[in-house]
Amino acid sequence: QVQLVESGGGLVQAGGSLRLSCTASGRTPYTTAWLRQSPGKERDFGAAISWSGGRTYYADSVKGRFTISRDNDKNAVYLQMNRLRPEDTAVYYCAAAPPNGNWPPLDFGYWGQGTQVTVSS
C-alpha cells in the first residue's frame, strides 16, 4: 500500500511559477507521474519520472516549462512549473505505477488526493 500526498498548489499569475511536491509513504520503487484535470475535461497526462530518475517524460503541453524530479531519500517527487498559463489551471494529481511497466506509464495503482493550481490572466 502506497499513500501519496500532494502539496504546493495555489493561485499564481500567468507567467509565474509554482513547485508541487508529492510525498510517498515508505520507500517504494514506483514510477511516479503528475496528471491534471480541469473542470469539465478529462484527466491529462503531465509528466513522469522513473524510479531511478534517469528517465523523464513530458506531455507536449508542458514540455519546456515544467520539470519533474525526485529525491528518493525523502520519498518525494516534485513538479517545477514555470511560465504558467491560465490553461494550466487544474487539480494536479500525483500517481504511482509499477517500476517495470509501460513507458510512459499508463496504469496507476495509487493516487494522491490532488492539489489545486489556479493561474490567473
Side-chain angles (χ1 to χ4, degrees):
Q1 186 74 14
V2 176
Q3 291 185 328
L4 304 172
V5 179
E6 301 98 334
S7 62
L11 174 64
V12 64
Q13 288 187 332
S17 299
L18 281 175
R19 188 194 194 207
L20 305 183
S21 298
C22 172
T23 303
S25 60
R27 192 173 188 273
T28 50
Y30 282 98
T31 290
T32 309
W34 287 96
L35 299 94
R36 62 187 186 180
Q37 188 167 20
S38 303
K41 296 185 179 180
E42 293 188 355
R43 191 170 293 175
D44 287 339
F45 191 93
I49 187 167
S50 62
W51 166 247
S52 69
R55 282 197 298 181
T56 57
Y57 177 86
Y58 297 93
D60 287 342
S61 58
V62 307
K63 196 176 296 181
R65 300 186 298 123
F66 292 8
T67 302
I68 190 170
S69 61
R70 71 187 306 151
D71 183 341
N72 288 340
D73 289 337
K74 297 181 178 180
N75 297 334
V77 173
Y78 307 101
L79 185 68
Q80 178 66 44
M81 305 186 295
N82 298 328
R83 292 185 282 143
L84 283 161
R85 305 166 179 168
E87 54 264 39
D88 294 319
T89 295
V91 177
Y92 283 70
Y93 296 91
C94 175
N100 298 318
N102 295 307
W103 185 264
L106 300 175
D107 301 308
F108 300 96
Y110 302 99
W111 293 84
Q113 83 288 350
T115 186
Q116 176 70 46
V117 171
T118 303
V119 185
S120 63
S121 57

